[in-house]
Amino acid sequence: MKAQRALQPQSLLRLSDLPVPDPGTGTLLVKVLACGVCRTDLHLVDGELASCRYPVTPGHEIVGRVVASGGRFAAGTRVGIPWLGWTCGECEYCLRGRENLCERARFTGCHIDGGYAEYALADERFCLPIPERYGDAEAAPLLCAGLIGFRSYLKCHDAKKLGLYGFGAAAHLLAQVARAEGRVVYAFTRKGDVEGQKFALSCGAHWAGDSESPPPEPLDAAIIFAPAGSLVPAALKNTRRGGRVICGGIHMSDIPSFPYAWLWGEREIVSVANLTRADGERFMALAGRIALHSAVKRYPLEKANEALGDLRAGRFTGAAVLIP
Ligand SMILES: [Zn+2]
Ligand SMILES: [Zn+2]
């Protein structure tokens, strides 16, 4: 089978020819129908994720068709394979419903070969059903952008005025969820990204502007999806007393120092790591109820490096998806 491999940090992916993997007990073999390109894949290619193994096949937003069944999903079923690929099930975190923090967790496309390939293996206990209403490519971004975005969103509690910093794959889905639940979304993009701001408004944002300019009203909460640490104090400054700034990314540049007064007034800064299976089930059920418009740009598997380059340069709106 064809697979795009990260052989070592800081090098382009290499298109390789590998044997189709053999499923064991409880393992699903899926034919990959579509695989989303996530910013985490860029961090992996850049060598910014310390725990990843190389060589590895990236890709953790996999929509696939079951070829060999493990038991839970019948052959022919369409399933989703997300970032969380395996947890120990016995540590303090796993036992208390916080398996996203398991220190022995293994992640798809990081410790386990992922979906930048024609076939992938997955532990069926961590696979998710895909709502019927989405096409293969449209469903792919739900599996990380949607899902981990949703975990960030849950940390906003009842915030009414919600800021989203970095309007990419995650924010474009989350803005629609927030709007459907009666919240008011303020979208912040790179300075001068008029195209991105227009896109945000089309996804239901009430206001869109540069991340350096203040919103028309103070925010109740802000979620930061862009990997720029300077956005943390920027968002904090725009957040009212008692408000929260949630960092939704796996990697971020250093956060510059800022006056304590911006944090004072019981403001909070929190981070979100990974997902639990319960998050996955809950978000997929929600995506089945609300018709989310998932904006995707398709690339053939052979053009994975081009897709990553376009993501880095912000050359498309929404999400990139590889089609093997
Ligand atoms: Zn554990
Ligand atoms: Zn991701």
Side-chain angles (χ1 to χ4, degrees):
M1 68 168 187
K2 280 185 284 186
Q4 289 278 10
R5 305 277 284 167
L7 299 181
Q8 61 202 37
Q10 296 180 314
S11 65
L12 290 175
L13 300 178
R14 173 88 58 82
L15 189 62
S16 313
D17 195 22
L18 299 178
V20 174
D22 238 338
T25 316
T27 308
L28 292 182
L29 173 66
V30 307
K31 168 107 184 61
V32 179
L33 302 170
C35 183
V37 176
C38 175
R39 184 163 289 281
T40 299
D41 305 339
L42 260 188
H43 295 313
L44 179 138
V45 165
D46 290 346
E48 289 167 335
L49 305 181
S51 79
C52 281
R53 71 156 165 88
Y54 299 85
V56 71
T57 305
H60 56 269
E61 297 182 304
I62 307 171
V63 176
R65 176 94 46 209
V66 176
V67 176
S69 169
R72 184 179 164 209
F73 296 99
T77 312
R78 196 170 66 144
V79 294
I81 305 174
W83 172 244
L84 188 74
W86 183 87
T87 53
C88 81
E90 56 192 29
C91 72
E92 192 82 352
Y93 296 119
C94 283
L95 294 175
R96 289 172 184 244
R98 302 182 82 188
E99 64 180 356
N100 60 310
L101 301 180
C102 175
E103 294 189 45
R104 288 163 61 202
R106 292 210 293 265
F107 299 110
T108 311
C110 177
H111 308 112
I112 304 166
D113 283 334
Y116 285 22
E118 291 179 293
Y119 292 88
L121 288 182
D123 183 326
E124 62 178 359
R125 297 171 302 162
F126 293 83
C127 294
L128 296 166
I130 302 277
E132 282 286 331
R133 64 164 74 225
Y134 301 94
D136 301 332
E138 287 73 19
L142 302 177
L143 285 155
C144 179
L147 235 160
I148 297 182
F150 183 64
R151 187 171 174 89
S152 308
Y153 176 75
L154 294 177
K155 300 237 179 233
C156 298
H157 302 307
D158 60 354
K160 173 97 173 132
K161 293 174 186 157
L162 176 62
L164 299 177
Y165 283 78
F167 207 87
H172 99 281
L173 294 169
L174 254 294
Q176 298 173 58
V177 173
R179 172 81 181 261
E181 296 193 332
R183 305 185 198 229
V184 184
V185 172
Y186 300 78
F188 298 81
T189 71
R190 295 186 220 208
K191 197 168 183 197
D193 181 8
V194 180
E195 205 54 38
Q197 291 166 11
K198 260 197 262 171
F199 177 60
L201 294 172
S202 78
C203 293
H206 165 73
W207 173 93
D210 292 349
S211 54
E212 290 168 29
S213 32
E217 288 97 27
L219 306 169
D220 298 325
I223 306 176
I224 301 177
F225 291 118
S230 61
L231 293 175
V232 175
L236 203 54
K237 210 163 63 167
N238 291 334
T239 302
R240 67 158 177 80
R241 289 179 172 203
R244 274 189 152 193
V245 172
I246 297 123
C247 303
I250 194 169
H251 175 84
M252 194 181 245
S253 57
D254 287 354
I255 301 170
S257 71
F258 55 87
Y260 176 59
W262 296 2
L263 181 63
W264 192 75
E266 303 197 347
R267 293 175 179 88
E268 294 173 283
I269 302 173
V270 298
S271 71
V272 164
N274 314 315
L275 70 141
T276 64
R277 279 173 275 182
D279 294 331
E281 302 282 348
R282 192 167 161 192
F283 178 69
M284 285 305 179
L286 182 142
R289 283 197 309 274
I290 305 179
L292 297 172
H293 171 65
S294 169
V296 295
K297 178 157 186 209
R298 292 170 172 77
Y299 295 80
L301 179 63
E302 289 73 12
K303 296 209 165 154
N305 285 310
E306 189 179 316
L308 286 167
D310 288 352
L311 174 62
R312 189 190 299 282
R315 276 192 282 264
F316 56 81
T317 51
V321 175
L322 297 179
I323 310 289

